[in-house]
Amino acid sequence: MNELKITAKIKVCTYDELNISEKKLIDSAKKAVYTSYAPYSRFRVGVAVELENGQIITGSNQENAAFPSGLCAERTALFYANAQFPDDAVEKISIAAFTKGDFSEEPITPCGACRQVIMEVQNRFNHPVRLLLYGKSKIYVIDTIEAILPLSFKLADDK
Ligand code: THU
């Protein structure tokens, strides 16, 4: 039997090592946590999306008493960005999380459903989406969503 080994390329850096536009995107994601509506989990997530037209769109998680009706910050921001600017590719997405009075020590990584949505955006525009995942101790920089969603679902080619 053969074995398929899957590896992920993730750069680990500090805030100071980022360039000005990346710092700005992280700052925007951190600011967006304060717009989160998370009375149930008290876990606030902020996202900033940079489009190819230079626009920065922010979003945050929006919860609901009927739990599945809420939405993660990533999808809130991406769906809004795509609804407002349907022709503009997404260049980068930055994510930050705030809970128990502070930003998370470790970088926040998107949930599976959000990874699938980021993959859709990347495929839709045929343009890699760069991820900047913020943590107080370190930041993960990932050049393409494929790195953290290997073997992703794609509609079968039924030719
Ligand atoms: N959440 C996000 O907004 N993004 C993620 O990638 C993971 C989880 C939200 C959903 C829910 O409102 C809260 O965090 C706790 O799960």
Side-chain angles (χ1 to χ4, degrees):
M1 193 193 290
N2 291 326
E3 198 176 55
L4 179 63
K5 283 211 173 65
I6 296 170
T7 53
K9 204 172 121 196
I10 298 176
K11 283 173 238 161
V12 184
C13 66
T14 62
Y15 181 82
D16 290 338
E17 289 175 292
L18 298 174
N19 66 34
I20 290 173
S21 72
E22 289 170 338
K23 280 183 180 148
K24 204 175 142 196
L25 206 63
I26 294 271
D27 295 346
S28 299
K30 288 177 75 178
K31 210 169 152 196
V33 302
Y34 299 107
T35 68
S36 154
Y37 176 66
Y40 305 104
S41 71
R42 305 208 175 276
F43 190 82
R44 293 165 164 249
V45 184
V47 160
V49 170
E50 187 186 310
L51 302 180
E52 67 177 346
N53 68 8
Q55 289 263 352
I56 291 180
I57 306 292
T58 59
S60 54
N61 55 329
Q62 302 295 319
E63 296 184 350
N64 193 282
F67 286 175
S69 305
L71 197 62
C72 290
E74 294 89 330
R75 278 174 284 166
T76 304
L78 285 171
F79 290 158
Y80 180 82
N82 290 160
Q84 296 302 311
F85 303 101
D87 299 322
D88 288 282
V90 171
E91 294 279 352
K92 297 182 195 119
I93 181 168
S94 73
I95 313 172
F98 186 94
T99 192
K100 296 182 184 146
D102 206 355
F103 286 96
S104 63
E105 203 63 44
E106 293 297 310
I108 164 140
T109 51
C111 78
C114 289
R115 290 179 201 204
Q116 186 72 38
V117 168
I118 297 167
M119 178 66 81
E120 185 79 22
V121 169
Q122 179 165 301
N123 292 340
R124 171 179 176 174
F125 296 104
N126 195 21
H127 189 92
V129 176
R130 193 157 206 240
L131 294 102
L132 304 169
L133 309 179
Y134 178 77
K136 273 169 55 187
S137 62
K138 52 176 141 14
I139 292 166
Y140 290 162
V141 179
I142 307 173
D143 289 334
T144 161
I145 187 66
E146 272 163 344
I148 58 166
L149 192 62
L151 305 180
S152 67
F153 170 75
K154 290 184 183 80
L155 282 178
D157 185 354
D158 42 37
K159 257 184 279 176

